[in-house]
Amino acid sequence: LDVADLIIIPAPMALAFGRWGNFINGEFWGKPSRAPWAMVFDTVPEADRFDASVGWGADWINDIGMDVPSSGLVNLPRHPVQLYELILEGIILFAILLAFRNIGKPKPRGSVLSLFLLCYGLMRFWIEFYRHPASHSAVILGSSWFTISMLFSIPMIAAGAAGLIWSFRRGIPNAVYGDPTAKKHKGRKKPAAPNIDDDAVQLGPPRQTDCGVHLPNQEYSPKTDCPPHRRIVPLLGSVHSPSNHHQNLSSTGQSLLP
């Protein structure tokens, strides 16, 4: 379900390209229509054309000013259902899935796939009212409008609605999308480093004082930081005493005075 939620979002665009191909090839046309955007498809066979001698057909032909061929069968304008499906099942459904995925709280596992099944089933069921029944979507026996595609859309709608309820009740996050909390910090700029003067952090050589070595960035006051009992007095290295004690002090170079 994690992967399905991810790959189902661009699926409507693939459906849109397929419906565009159907429109270019003149396949799966709609029912006759008087709508201003109705189109005549030359690929409609004579078996699906209408007799010009029929009362309603003759009135329609006279209203739109069509010429009647010698065969007496007229190819009436029809709903461009390929474009309906391209817009609904392609562009609009893609926008719905993308907005559902990115707007609001992180969506649980399986919710995006369930929404696709629900929306696609509803859209396909509605479009069947305008689509001419093809061989794979024939009208079910005993009905004048209910097609096989409508029948297949019903379990798709039910599965999508049940899947949405089930996914939100479980509330399991989608592992493919990563940590939902990380999205809140996405795009935030890191705090800028404090502006420190370069001259203030440059360290020079250590300073030798009466109380030892001090770094240049350390404050030093002889009165408070170096009282007499802590002062270090260097011994004269050039003075040598026959005493072993003075020789040891000379070798160290320094001696602490009380």
Side-chain angles (χ1 to χ4, degrees), residues 2-30:
D2 292 341
V3 179
D5 283 342
L6 179 65
I7 65 177
I8 202 62
I9 295 179
M13 299 310 298
L15 294 174
F17 283 110
R19 297 298 176 257
W20 178 249
N22 296 146
F23 176 74
I24 294 176
N25 296 330
E27 303 169 341
F28 310 129
W29 49 84

Side-chain angles (χ1 to χ4, degrees), residues 209-212 220-234 255-258:
T209 65
D210 294 339
C211 287
Y220 171 72
S221 174
K223 295 182 179 180
T224 59
D225 297 337
C226 191
H229 67 277
R230 293 182 52 193
R231 295 182 182 179
I232 300 174
V233 179
S255 174
L256 293 176
L257 296 180

Side-chain angles (χ1 to χ4, degrees), residues 50-62 74 76:
F50 300 91
D51 190 354
S53 61
V54 179
W56 69 270
D59 296 338
W60 197 341
I61 292 170
N62 293 330
V74 180
L76 295 175

Side-chain angles (χ1 to χ4, degrees), residues 30-152:
K31 297 177 181 179
S33 173
R34 291 175 178 264
W37 56 84
M39 302 179 183
V40 176
F41 295 93
D42 296 333
T43 54
V44 176
E46 292 187 358
D48 293 326
R49 299 187 182 189
F50 300 91
D51 190 354
S53 61
V54 179
W56 69 270
D59 296 338
W60 197 341
I61 292 170
N62 293 330
D63 291 342
I64 61 180
M66 292 187 66
D67 297 331
V68 179
S70 58
S71 62
L73 299 176
V74 180
N75 187 14
L76 295 175
R78 297 174 178 267
H79 284 287
V81 292
Q82 310 97 321
L83 299 182
Y84 297 170
E85 292 183 88
L86 185 153
I87 296 174
L88 283 177
E89 302 170 4
I91 299 174
I92 294 180
L93 183 54
F94 173 74
I96 291 175
L97 296 179
L98 197 62
F100 175 77
R101 164 63 185 89
N102 295 326
I103 296 178
K105 298 180 180 179
K107 304 307 182 292
R109 176 186 297 171
S111 59
V112 181
L113 176 62
S114 301
L115 182 64
F116 170 82
L117 295 176
L118 176 62
C119 293
Y120 181 81
L122 290 173
M123 293 175 179
R124 184 59 187 270
F125 191 93
W126 178 77
I127 287 176
E128 283 296 312
F129 286 103
Y130 302 94
R131 187 172 183 174
H132 181 80
S135 59
H136 66 278
S137 182
V139 176
I140 297 177
L141 296 178
S143 175
S144 60
W145 58 272
F146 195 76
T147 64
I148 296 178
S149 296
M150 288 181 175
L151 179 63
F152 291 160

